[in-house]
Amino acid sequence: MWTLQSCGSVLTLSINADLARPCTDLFGYVGIEAVLDQMRRKTIKAGLEFNIMVVGQSGLGKSTLVNTLFKSKVSRKSCTPNYEEKISKTVKLHSVSHVIEEKGVKMKLTVIDTPGFGDQINNDNCWEPIVKHVNEQYEKYLREELHINRKRRIPDSRVHCCIYFLPATGHRLRPIDVEFMKRLGKIVSIVPVIAKADTLTIEERQEFKEQIRQDLAANGIRVYPQKEYDEDPEERILNDRIRESIPFAVVGTDKEHQVNGNKVLGRKTKWGIIEVENVAHCEFANLRDLLIRSHLQDLKDVTHDIHYETYRVRRLNESNMNYSELGLSTWPLENKCESDSHL
């Protein structure tokens, strides 16, 4: 039992010794486990929000991979009638949102594409529009959070994951890859992938992956999942296995083919059919498991608890930060201070 006692101007909090004892078995059924059902029903009713950004130069199959991940036409290219692939003069961001449903669970999926990235002769600072967009979403969430009468559920447009596409060159990371991931890795969770990995042999692919891992470590680039965020030994074992596979060598397609009487997603070549969901052919299934089946909620938690929290603390600590800048009044804080002074 918790008790609050007042000794002059000092408040002390004492805890009943019974609560400090180790947990013991109950004499009968209480129903504590029903909380999980309550949480599940509430989540299903409210739905989920997941925002994913794809970054890479044109022609690496970004739209196709996203469509393959969610087995639907969710990318910008697939949703825009008569869309023609053009090289943008500057990096522009385009967002497309869809509500997808599976077994009664609805998820609002937003895909942020970055046409023009890495396509110019001079790619200096081509990551700046992307950094600006990520920070703008944090700022938007912060403003909503600081409103006096804020919404019960704040719309979440923050980027939960950034898939960075590396061309299957077989060489080391390019300077643009290093600079982008060094900057973005500090503000968003990055998952690097080798695009169109079927252009490499198995041996070339393994060698390329090892070179990339060495470059990531040498340049201090943080990619998801980070070791410092592992919460328990079981999670660390799972994440260590994922880190050993990064970057994922993937192949994307939205076409089905017959293989041994079964329909499979795959790419047909003159040598045979590359099965996208077959781990012996590529690591697409591992990427999908990470993004959706095992770490989707963790990606959202890392975004809120780590990246957004870092941004929020920095903004609130800036010397030129004031409530009038956010369009808010200072009177609630002033009144709070006055009321606190009476204690």
Side-chain angles (χ1 to χ4, degrees):
M1 182 178 179
W2 300 77
T3 58
L4 191 64
Q5 301 173 344
S6 177
C7 301
S9 60
V10 179
L11 294 176
T12 62
L13 184 67
S14 62
I15 305 175
N16 192 305
D18 291 338
L19 289 181
R21 295 173 182 170
C23 294
T24 58
D25 293 334
L26 301 174
F27 293 114
Y29 179 75
V30 175
I32 298 174
E33 64 172 0
V35 173
L36 298 177
D37 293 330
Q38 297 171 33
M39 294 170 64
R40 186 175 185 274
R41 286 196 300 269
K42 190 172 182 180
T43 301
I44 291 176
K45 185 177 180 180
L48 304 171
E49 291 176 306
F50 189 58
N51 309 315
I52 187 169
M53 175 183 282
V54 289
V55 181
Q57 66 189 54
S58 301
L60 293 182
K62 300 187 296 294
S63 300
T64 303
L65 183 69
V66 172
N67 290 338
T68 311
L69 277 171
F70 296 97
K71 294 188 176 181
S72 58
K73 305 292 185 179
V74 295
S75 73
R76 177 178 63 96
K77 184 174 181 179
S78 302
C79 298
T80 307
N82 302 322
Y83 175 81
E84 296 179 3
E85 191 69 42
K86 298 179 181 179
I87 296 179
S88 304
K89 293 182 179 180
T90 57
V91 179
K92 296 180 180 179
L93 280 75
H94 297 277
S95 299
V96 176
S97 297
H98 294 273
V99 175
I100 56 180
E101 183 176 355
E102 184 179 41
K103 295 183 179 180
V105 179
K106 292 183 179 180
M107 181 173 73
K108 181 183 178 184
L109 173 68
T110 300
V111 180
I112 305 106
D113 197 2
T114 56
F117 178 86
D119 293 334
Q120 313 304 317
I121 296 176
N122 183 359
N123 287 302
D124 288 348
N125 302 323
C126 62
W127 47 78
E128 287 185 354
I130 299 172
V131 173
K132 180 181 178 183
H133 176 81
V134 172
N135 285 330
E136 282 177 349
Q137 305 319 304
Y138 290 148
E139 183 71 16
K140 183 178 178 181
Y141 194 92
L142 177 62
R143 288 172 181 267
E144 289 289 342
E145 200 175 49
L146 291 180
H147 279 312
I148 299 172
N149 297 316
R150 62 183 179 184
K151 299 174 182 177
R152 184 175 180 182
R153 186 179 183 188
I154 300 175
D156 191 0
S157 61
R158 298 170 296 181
V159 179
H160 299 126
C161 178
C162 173
I163 303 179
Y164 187 70
F165 287 70
L166 299 166
T169 61
H171 304 296
R172 292 186 175 275
L173 291 177
R174 302 168 300 169
I176 187 175
D177 301 327
V178 173
E179 291 301 320
F180 176 86
M181 288 192 283
K182 282 180 71 173
R183 285 168 168 78
L184 267 291
K186 298 175 182 178
I187 61 175
V188 71
S189 296
I190 293 180
V191 177
V193 300
I194 301 172
K196 297 187 175 180
D198 53 327
T199 60
L200 300 172
T201 65
I202 299 296
E203 293 75 17
E204 290 172 339
R205 191 171 74 185
Q206 288 303 119
E207 184 180 352
F208 188 32
K209 286 163 64 75
E210 183 58 36
Q211 289 175 343
I212 291 175
R213 283 194 288 266
Q214 291 175 7
D215 288 347
L216 291 174
N219 290 281
I221 296 172
R222 305 170 65 190
V223 297
Y224 182 85
Q226 292 97 320
K227 284 187 177 181
E228 57 267 33
Y229 302 154
D230 295 344
E231 296 183 351
D232 54 63
E234 183 179 346
E235 184 176 312
R236 187 176 301 111
I237 293 172
L238 173 62
N239 288 344
D240 282 341
R241 193 159 58 244
I242 293 171
R243 284 186 279 264
E244 290 173 0
S245 299
I246 286 178
F248 297 108
V250 299
V251 177
T253 183
D254 52 7
K255 295 182 180 179
E256 291 184 335
H257 299 276
Q258 288 283 345
V259 176
N260 298 325
N262 299 318
K263 284 186 176 181
V264 298
L265 285 172
R267 292 190 62 220
K268 189 174 183 179
T269 68
K270 59 183 179 180
W271 298 282
I273 294 176
I274 301 168
E275 299 176 36
V276 170
E277 297 178 297
N278 188 338
V279 292
H281 293 188
C282 73
E283 296 174 326
F284 168 82
N286 296 338
L287 173 65
R288 180 187 57 197
D289 290 348
L290 171 69
L291 295 179
I292 303 172
R293 300 183 180 180
S294 63
H295 284 67
L296 188 148
Q297 186 58 48
D298 189 64
L299 282 164
K300 291 166 64 71
D301 291 342
V302 169
T303 299
H304 183 78
D305 299 335
I306 307 297
H307 299 305
Y308 169 70
E309 189 67 17
T310 300
Y311 178 86
R312 188 186 71 87
V313 170
R314 177 174 62 82
R315 286 288 285 132
L316 296 179
N317 283 334
E318 286 177 350
S319 58
N320 60 348
M321 175 69 170
N322 54 62
Y323 279 82
S324 61
E325 179 184 345
L326 291 174
L328 302 172
S329 171
T330 59
W331 67 266
L333 292 181
E334 293 171 355
N335 286 348
K336 183 177 185 302
C337 294
E338 291 176 2
S339 60
D340 288 347
S341 64
H342 294 303
L343 292 178

